[in-house]
């Protein structure tokens, strides 16, 4: 089992920045790729950015050049972060941290709300 806890959401004006963090604990040695998904009201959940255990990265076209994903291994925790710059109102959503574990299991955090509004 892997537990994921997100933090860092909030209200920000258009053009502003936020940094999301996710702490992964439990069976962290089983974790392969980690990512950030988001779900806006009335829309399906979508992949925003992903990073593999080999630190290869993927970004959706809508955030490329504005968001940066990174991960860091600590003592018994893996930290996943995403720096979000030049935020737009359309970035407003609940952001979820994900971790891919053994046997194709995907773990999810509970989500953190990001609101971009003036």
């Amino acid at each position: 089992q892997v537990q994921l806890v997100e933090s860092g959401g909030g209200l920000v004006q258009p053009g502003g920045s936020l940094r999301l963090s996710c702490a992964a604990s439990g069976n962290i040695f089983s974790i392969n790729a980690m990512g950030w998904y988001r779900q806006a009201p009335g829309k399906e959940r979508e992949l925003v950015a992903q990073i593999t255990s080999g630190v290869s990265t993927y970004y959706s076209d809508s955030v490329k050049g504005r968001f940066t994903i990174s991960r860091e291994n600590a003592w018994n925790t893996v930290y996943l972060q995403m720096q979000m710059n030049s935020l737009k109102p359309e970035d407003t959503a609940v952001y979820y941290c994900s971790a891919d574990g053994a046997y194709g299991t995907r773990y999810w955090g509970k989500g953190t709300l990001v609101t971009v509004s003036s």
Side-chain angles (χ1 to χ4, degrees):
Q1 289 288 326
V2 174
Q3 295 78 43
L4 303 173
V5 179
E6 302 104 333
S7 62
L11 173 64
V12 63
Q13 293 186 343
S17 298
L18 278 177
R19 188 174 182 86
L20 301 184
S21 296
C22 172
S25 59
N27 189 13
I28 61 171
F29 299 104
S30 70
I31 295 175
N32 297 308
M34 297 185 73
W36 289 99
Y37 286 73
R38 68 186 180 188
Q39 187 166 19
K43 295 188 177 181
E44 294 187 355
R45 190 174 297 189
E46 63 173 352
L47 176 63
V48 175
Q50 189 176 57
I51 185 167
T52 69
S53 56
V55 298
S56 296
T57 57
Y58 162 85
Y59 297 94
S60 67
D61 288 343
S62 61
V63 306
K64 199 173 295 181
R66 300 188 297 121
F67 291 10
T68 303
I69 191 171
S70 61
R71 70 189 272 177
E72 179 181 354
N73 294 344
W75 166 237
N76 58 354
T77 305
V78 177
Y79 295 99
L80 180 72
Q81 296 178 325
M82 186 163 69
Q83 178 68 37
M84 306 187 296
N85 298 328
S86 302
L87 284 161
K88 305 175 182 180
E90 50 264 42
D91 294 318
T92 295
V94 177
Y95 284 71
Y96 297 91
C97 173
S98 72
D100 293 344
Y103 310 112
T105 302
R106 175 162 290 168
Y107 300 94
W108 296 96
K110 292 183 178 181
T112 184
L113 177 63
V114 171
T115 303
V116 184
S117 175
S118 55

